[in-house]
Amino acid sequence: MTTHLAQYTLDVNDVDRMAAFWSAALGYTVRQGRDGSAKLYPPPGRPGPTVWLQGSGTPKRGKNRLHPDLVSDGDPAAEVDRLIGLGARRVDVGQTGTEGFVVLADPEDNEFCVLDGPPS
């Protein structure tokens, strides 16, 4: 028996703000939960885990121990620019500049990477 990644859960301070960012970043649909959370669903026919944003009521502290790696359908540099336009920012977590990815942080400082191509 094996398992598979079904959902990425992220504790956030402002559920609405983060739902707006991540739904635009991923092209996912948002459904608000009755408990104040939000669940994001990939477009029909596109594989991928759901994303659950649960309100924590506290700001993020320290570097993420787990983060998503994103891959663009087009030019990775253009995708980085698009994500920055949505509210992400570049962050330095010790990279050298020779990596095959760019490290960004979402509007609440949760790190994620934009890969230059599919993971290998």
Side-chain angles (χ1 to χ4, degrees):
M1 183 182 336
T2 63
T3 60
H4 66 277
L5 184 61
Q7 180 167 273
Y8 186 79
T9 301
L10 184 60
D11 289 344
V12 299
N13 193 36
D14 184 335
V15 172
D16 292 336
R17 178 181 186 203
M18 297 302 286
F21 173 80
W22 281 108
S23 65
L26 299 172
Y28 277 29
T29 301
V30 178
R31 291 196 190 135
Q32 295 292 338
R34 294 177 200 217
D35 61 356
S37 67
K39 192 160 188 177
L40 284 61
Y41 294 88
R46 191 169 107 198
T50 56
V51 176
W52 184 35
L53 304 174
Q54 61 183 2
S56 66
T58 60
K60 177 185 170 278
R61 292 185 181 94
K63 183 181 178 296
N64 293 13
R65 300 278 310 254
L66 178 69
H67 67 267
D69 289 338
L70 309 182
V71 177
S72 173
D73 293 343
D75 176 37
E79 183 61 9
V80 167
D81 290 342
R82 184 183 79 85
L83 294 166
I84 289 171
L86 292 173
R89 64 182 180 81
R90 291 179 183 265
V91 293
D92 182 356
V93 295
Q95 62 269 39
T96 65
T98 61
E99 295 82 6
F101 56 85
V102 173
V103 182
L104 298 176
D106 70 17
E108 288 193 1
D109 295 325
N110 299 295
E111 296 94 3
F112 64 97
C113 294
V114 177
L115 306 180
D116 290 347
S120 56

